[in-house]
Structure formats: C-alpha cells, structure tokens
Amino acid sequence: MPEIHALRRDRLRAALATLDADAALITNLVNVRYLTGLASSNAALLVPAEGDAVLATDSRYALTARRECPDLELLVERMAETVLAGLAVERGARWVAFEDHEVTVERHAALEAAARAQLAPLGRAVEELRIVKDDGEIALIARACQITATAFDESIAEIRPGVTEREFAVVIERAMISAGADKLAFDTIVASGPHGAIPHHVPGDRPFEPGDLITIDCGAKYRGYHADMTRTVALGTPAQWQRDLYGLVAAAQRAGIEAAVPGEVLGDVDMAARDLIAAAGHVEHFGHGLGHGVGLDIHEAPMLGPGRPGKLADRVPITVEPGVYLPGRGGVRIEDTLVVRSGSSAPRDVLTMTRTSTPAELLVLD
Ligand SMILES: [Mn+2]
C-alpha cells in the first residue's frame, strides 16, 4: 500500500515545516519501515520538505525495496545514511533534521563529515506520528493479539507439576508460531512461585509445583505489529494471600482499563490503578508504569506512568498491566492490550481476549 506510506511522509513534512529544516533524515529502522513499508536491517530515508523522498538500502534488500516501495527513488548503498546526508546537501538542503535520539556519537560524526549542511535535531517526530494508528494497523495488532490469546488457550493444559518454566515457554512460543505469528514479540516470561516477584524473570529450570502462582507474559508479532498479554494462574488450590493478591491486581487492572478513554491524562490512567494498590499497602511493590503503547515496537509512545503529561487519543493501542511483586513470595501481573476509541459503542476494545482465563477471576489449574 504505497499510498498510506506517502500519506505518512506528508504528515512528517508538515511536522518538518515547524522546525524550519529543509529535509529529514530518518535512520531509525522502525521509522523507515513506517514511512516506506520496507523492513530491513540497513536503510535510511531522506524526506525533503519539498520534493520526492529517497530511500537508501543495501543490495540484500534492493529487490524487496523495488517491490514494496515502487513510488520511491532508490539508492542501493551500504552506507545508507551518510550517502543520503550527502545527497541532501547536493540537492540544496542547508538544515537537515536527524533523529538525535537514536544516532550514536560515532554516526553523528560521519553524518557531519558527509553533510556540509547543518544538522538539527528532529526529535521523536515520527514516533509521535506513530501513536495514533490507522485501521490497517489496528487490524494487524488485533490479529497479533488473537494469535497470542489462542496460543495461551491451547497451551495451558501443559501447566502441570514438574514442567519447568523453560519447557512451558517453548510450548507457548511454538503455539504462537503455529497459530500464525511471524515471530515472537519479545522473550516470553514464565515466572513460577517465588520467581513471580521478579517482573521480567527469565524462564529457568524451576519445575512447577502445586501451590505456585505462575505469571506468563507473552506476545506474537504479526507483519511487524506486536501483541502483549500477561496472565497469572494458580497451580493447585491457592492460599488465601494468593487469592487476595490476585483480586487486588484484577481490581486495579479493571480500574486502569475503565480510566483508559480518549482525552484522559496518561498519568491519571496510571493513578486509577495505582491508587487501589497503594490503598492496600502495596505501593512499593508496584515499581513499573501501568502500561505502554504497542505498534511496530513492543514498547512505544504513549507511556502510562505516574505523573505522565499528555492525553490518550482516539485509536491508540496500549497495554494495561498492573502488578504486585512480593520479594521471596511471588507476584501477580495481569495485562491486556486494548485500543482506545472514540465515537464507537465502547471507549475501548480489549484485543487480548482468552477463552480460558478472564482477568477478573483467578484461573486454578489442577
Ligand atoms: Mn507490556
């Protein structure tokens, strides 16, 4: 769909106009993909304020680039970004805006040598454009979420005493690929028993035991777009403290989801969930933000955290994922990916809907 990418480049040109730069040099590979459709490990894009954009990539991606981006001038060059910086000057640019949040000091020196033009910081202009998704993007995220939920439903029968965290991680990862994922969105987390107190525990050789809470955080990647979902389940009859902890996190997640409506301040969405956890005496056991945007990156703007300014807009996919982590004992995290909507019947659609485990109720496995 070259038209959609041309539209996105026009929106970047509008942002460029406010910076007084003659061209934008896009070097973040995810941003290049967003603006061209080309997924590669070496590419850059020059977007002049006036005139046609130029894509540079090396020979490994040349055929794909010609197929995916027939409307773009293409340079087949290994040194993609420096060649484009030089081209910008040749074509008369005096100020070239570059992605200062991702260019290293070494690459910046090479850009300065190649572009006798002045370099100006572009900031996160493309990341800002990426926050609000179009229908096609939302459909891809919804598909990634559906694959993730299906894989979870198909895998939980494998949660049995003696199965290790690593073994179960492989089961659910294989199920995601079988259900249609192109790749995994991130390294799967399986945290059992006391490991549940570590939010990003790396699955190890600990076998599941009756009495464990088990936190599973997984996601599929589908055509570049990510899903993110976490469920905490009980193996065997849970203790009262485990039921209480689950009930608290489930209530906080519900409050966070209900606060996630277009126009709401990001920090206030976080606070809706965090206040409940704080009131239960666990404020220091919830150390991370409530959630984050999801799209071509697994973690992207907007970030939902304490005191975050900015507001939720229509068509923004986010996660809502409160957790309470008790060192030495265990923890609970519950996470869904949802898309905030205005003008529809509901102010948000939850995309990670599982058959077997609804966030409201602790799933107890025998
Ligand atoms: Mn997440």
Side-chain angles (χ1 to χ4, degrees):
M1 288 195 297
E3 325 77 50
I4 195 109
H5 301 107
L7 200 73
R8 292 171 183 172
R9 294 193 295 272
D10 283 342
R11 290 169 61 215
L12 174 61
R13 284 189 180 92
L16 207 53
T18 67
L19 288 175
D20 210 23
D22 305 306
L25 179 60
I26 305 304
T27 52
N28 175 309
L29 292 169
V30 175
N31 289 343
V32 171
R33 180 177 191 166
Y34 180 73
L35 295 170
T36 68
L38 178 68
S40 86
S41 64
N42 179 27
L45 178 71
L46 183 68
V47 181
E50 283 164 38
D52 295 333
V54 186
L55 174 65
T57 186
D58 69 53
S59 60
R60 296 170 298 169
Y61 301 102
L63 285 177
T64 313
R66 286 202 180 91
R67 190 184 64 221
E68 300 289 321
C69 324
D71 57 331
L72 280 173
E73 182 181 345
L74 179 69
L75 287 181
V76 181
E77 287 283 354
R78 196 169 58 81
M79 306 295 280
E81 66 191 35
T82 46
V83 165
L84 287 184
L87 184 71
V89 178
E90 263 176 55
R91 295 191 177 175
R94 287 162 300 119
W95 286 93
V96 178
F98 75 106
E99 296 197 286
D100 50 305
H101 56 293
E102 77 96 27
V103 170
T104 61
V105 175
E106 183 185 44
R107 286 162 56 210
H108 182 261
L111 289 180
E112 275 195 319
R116 295 171 316 279
Q118 308 278 344
L119 295 176
L122 176 64
R124 297 174 191 269
V126 182
E127 284 83 351
E128 291 291 320
L129 296 179
R130 282 168 43 194
I131 292 174
V132 173
K133 271 66 174 178
D134 61 41
D135 286 344
E137 294 181 286
I138 290 172
L140 294 177
I141 294 167
R143 178 80 186 113
C145 288
Q146 186 189 15
I147 290 167
T148 306
T150 299
F152 179 87
D153 288 333
E154 288 176 351
S155 301
I156 56 163
E158 300 301 314
I159 296 180
R160 294 187 305 262
V163 174
T164 69
E165 293 171 344
R166 275 193 324 123
E167 287 166 347
F168 184 71
V170 170
V171 167
I172 200 159
E173 288 174 354
R174 176 177 283 273
M176 285 191 278
I177 300 294
S178 297
D182 297 329
K183 287 182 183 181
L184 305 175
F186 53 90
D187 291 341
T188 303
I189 296 167
V190 179
S192 63
H195 292 160
I198 305 164
H200 274 194
H201 174 69
V202 177
D205 292 322
R206 184 185 184 277
F208 299 150
E209 294 173 12
D212 281 352
L213 288 178
I214 302 166
T215 298
I216 301 133
D217 187 346
C218 61
K221 188 171 176 178
Y222 184 72
R223 297 195 193 162
Y225 285 84
H226 296 76
D228 202 353
M229 184 183 91
T230 306
R231 292 288 182 269
T232 299
V233 302
L235 183 58
T237 309
Q240 192 57 46
W241 72 269
Q242 292 172 319
R243 286 197 178 279
D244 292 346
L245 198 60
Y246 190 91
L248 172 64
V249 176
Q253 203 229 7
R254 174 60 18 216
I257 289 176
E258 282 174 0
V261 297
E264 185 60 285
V265 175
L266 300 171
D268 291 352
V269 181
D270 178 276
M271 205 197 305
R274 195 171 302 275
D275 278 354
L276 284 181
I277 291 173
H282 287 300
V283 69
E284 76 277 24
H285 298 136
F286 176 27
H288 56 76
L290 181 66
H292 52 86
V294 182
L296 286 171
D297 279 315
I298 179 64
H299 299 124
E300 60 179 54
M303 293 295 169
L304 278 69
R308 285 271 181 176
K311 291 180 178 176
L312 279 177
D314 184 24
R315 299 168 166 272
V316 178
I318 55 167
T319 69
V320 174
E321 50 176 311
V324 174
Y325 311 96
L326 305 178
R329 298 180 80 189
V332 173
R333 179 168 65 256
I334 307 170
E335 174 183 31
D336 284 300
T337 298
L338 44 112
V339 56
V340 177
R341 296 276 203 181
S342 63
S344 59
S345 54
R348 92 253 343 141
D349 295 329
V350 176
L351 303 178
T352 39
M353 299 281 272
T354 48
R355 276 187 292 105
T356 52
S357 165
T358 58
E361 207 173 332
L362 176 59
L363 177 66
V364 178
L365 302 165
D366 299 323

